[in-house]
Amino acid sequence: DPQLGDYPRLPFVSKQTRPALGWEDLQFRRNFGEPLHEQEEVLSMWGPDVPVVAPQIALRWFSIAVLGFVSLGVLCNYAHPVIPAVRREYPFDGLSSELGGLEENKVSRKQ
């Protein structure tokens, strides 16, 4: 950044990766007089958490979990028992007159 002038170029490393002890300010893990990074808001202890697992490994684990759930669903879909009886069929146009004669009361016929 040309606006920084002679300010030191510090590495883009989060303070969360530093050891917990051995600092003058234990909460922010820094010593007195230590220069701040240009993007200190992002790299400080209050910034976004540093991932414990690499993103590629996390994506692999997530894909395995999703594949497991989907395969369990497919297995349950193929393993469900078939109804051991014939579905009931109603005479006289689905008993529409016996149920009040309304079209909404008709039992749907599957042909």
Side-chain angles (χ1 to χ4, degrees):
D1 192 7
Q3 294 179 349
L4 291 179
D6 60 348
Y7 196 76
R9 304 232 185 257
L10 301 173
F12 193 81
V13 178
S14 176
K15 299 255 174 84
Q16 296 174 7
T17 59
R18 292 181 171 184
L21 298 176
W23 307 99
E24 292 178 5
D25 186 358
L26 293 177
Q27 183 175 4
F28 290 108
R29 295 183 186 174
R30 61 184 301 260
N31 292 324
F32 180 76
E34 181 181 345
L36 296 176
H37 194 277
E38 174 188 6
Q39 297 179 352
E40 177 66 21
E41 305 86 24
V42 175
L43 298 176
S44 70
M45 291 300 295
W46 303 107
D49 288 339
V50 176
V52 180
V53 179
Q56 296 84 4
I57 295 174
L59 181 63
R60 183 183 318 144
W61 289 352
F62 181 73
S63 300
I64 290 171
V66 168
L67 182 66
F69 282 118
V70 168
S71 60
L72 180 68
V74 168
L75 178 70
C76 290
N77 188 25
Y78 284 118
H80 75 281
V82 179
I83 299 174
V86 178
R87 293 210 176 260
R88 186 179 295 177
E89 295 182 6
Y90 294 102
F92 306 114
D93 200 23
L95 297 177
S96 62
S97 62
E98 285 78 6
L99 293 174
L102 299 174
E103 291 295 321
E104 296 86 28
N105 292 334
K106 276 190 178 180
V107 177
S108 62
R109 287 187 178 180
K110 295 187 179 187
Q111 297 189 18

